[in-house]
Amino acid sequence: MTSADDAPAQRSEPGGIRAVSRALDVLDCFENEGQSLAVADIVRRCELPRTTVLRLVDTLVGERMLQLLPDGRVSVGPRMIRWGAFAKAAWSAPAATLERLRELAEQTGETVSLYVRRDLKRVAIAQAPGRHTIRHVVQVGDELPIWLGAASTTLLSGERPDALDAVLAQLRADEGIDIDTAALRRRVDKIREQGWGLSHGERESGNSGLAMLVPENPDRPHLQPVVVVLGGPTARFVDARIPEFVDALRACVRDVPRTGLPPALE
């Protein structure tokens, strides 16, 4: 008989170590808001047995990645300070690029985000909020599905055909999502042809996105596709404004290779 602790990991990589993946899942439970968690919160978010979570927390506390608070809650430990500083140095966009994103946000009024793909997610690595009270809200570090939204399909348009095949296969195997492959390929081909992607309400009802790939700097080719995205309420992404948005976005992505990307991408 198999115990709950011996149940297969929810996520595992071929040839990987399940305990490491589970420990990272525990760390992923912590967010900027509400920086301490009860063990029960971690159990619920990780969907792991309580005994497994207790062992993982105990190990992470011993390694100073987590710490126990007097009230029994768990928070991030001091060892994460060094890791956080290293990650910030590697993934922070240059000041000139952040300023260029802010200029685009001011020009269009919409939130501007910079995304890269990580497996089946797209990760926000920089952002400039729009100037409207009602706006698209994204935080740096947010992970969103790679199969939904203009940012995702535009990122996929920058991948090699075999990489796109691998993503589709992984979606079916890991997420149980059966994508309409032919329809997705048509969308990707259209983005490659016209140079930008547009979506309305794919990831969130009432929200739209317009995305464009950042071209490579021949002197500093980036390691993977990167997109700049305008996001905001669908009511403001009307047909009459799309050409204006496209022109503004195109001017921005042409500047980014000069202003630079985070060191981790170059």
Side-chain angles (χ1 to χ4, degrees):
M1 181 178 295
T2 302
S3 69
D5 280 6
D6 294 327
Q10 193 174 25
R11 172 180 56 81
S12 62
E13 298 295 331
I17 300 174
R18 184 175 61 175
V20 175
S21 294
R22 286 179 163 182
L24 293 174
D25 286 340
V26 169
L27 294 176
D28 277 344
C29 290
F30 293 85
E31 302 172 345
N32 289 334
E33 297 79 17
Q35 295 179 5
S36 68
L37 295 171
V39 170
D41 297 325
I42 301 173
V43 170
R44 185 181 68 256
R45 294 184 184 190
C46 289
E47 299 182 350
L48 290 171
R50 181 180 176 85
T51 52
T52 299
V53 170
L54 287 171
R55 289 201 301 270
L56 290 167
V57 168
D58 185 59
T59 299
L60 291 167
V61 168
E63 295 293 336
R64 295 177 293 112
M65 301 294 284
L66 296 177
Q67 62 180 352
L68 291 176
L69 302 179
D71 62 0
R73 293 173 69 85
V74 184
S75 70
V76 174
R79 191 172 182 179
M80 292 291 286
I81 298 172
R82 176 174 174 271
W83 287 38
F86 174 70
K88 184 176 182 180
W91 284 99
S92 291
T97 295
L98 294 176
E99 179 59 29
R100 187 63 183 88
L101 299 184
R102 285 191 287 267
E103 289 174 2
L104 179 60
E106 179 62 27
Q107 179 182 358
T108 62
E110 307 301 343
T111 296
V112 181
S113 304
L114 201 66
Y115 284 97
V116 295
R117 181 172 77 85
R118 280 292 177 267
D119 296 324
L120 300 182
K121 303 286 187 180
R122 53 178 160 106
V123 183
I125 58 175
Q127 188 238 42
R131 53 181 162 80
H132 296 288
T133 302
I134 299 176
R135 60 177 181 260
H136 182 54
V137 178
V138 176
Q139 303 295 332
V140 172
D142 281 355
E143 297 183 348
L144 303 172
I146 195 60
W147 60 94
L148 294 173
S152 294
T153 47
T154 304
L155 276 172
L156 293 176
S157 76
E159 301 275 10
R160 304 184 315 274
D162 58 332
L164 179 57
D165 291 339
V167 169
L168 293 171
Q170 193 177 356
L171 281 172
R172 288 190 291 269
D174 293 1
E175 302 290 332
I177 296 173
D178 190 12
I179 300 290
D180 185 336
T181 303
L184 179 60
R185 290 191 188 284
R186 285 195 296 271
R187 288 190 61 186
V188 168
D189 288 342
K190 182 178 180 181
I191 292 170
R192 286 173 177 156
E193 179 182 350
Q194 69 183 12
W196 49 271
L198 175 67
S199 65
H200 298 297
E202 284 188 13
R203 188 181 62 82
E204 184 179 5
S205 178
N207 190 68
S208 294
L210 178 65
M212 197 174 292
L213 285 168
V214 174
E216 287 198 349
N217 181 337
D219 298 326
R220 294 181 297 171
H222 46 260
L223 299 177
Q224 63 195 87
V226 183
V227 294
V228 178
V229 187
L230 286 176
T234 299
R236 294 203 296 265
F237 279 66
V238 294
D239 290 348
R241 294 209 68 190
I242 298 304
E244 170 195 340
F245 284 168
V246 168
D247 288 345
L249 186 56
R250 182 175 290 117
C252 180
V253 300
R254 286 175 176 168
D255 287 339
V256 171
R258 172 182 55 80
T259 57
L261 292 169
L265 294 175
E266 294 186 331

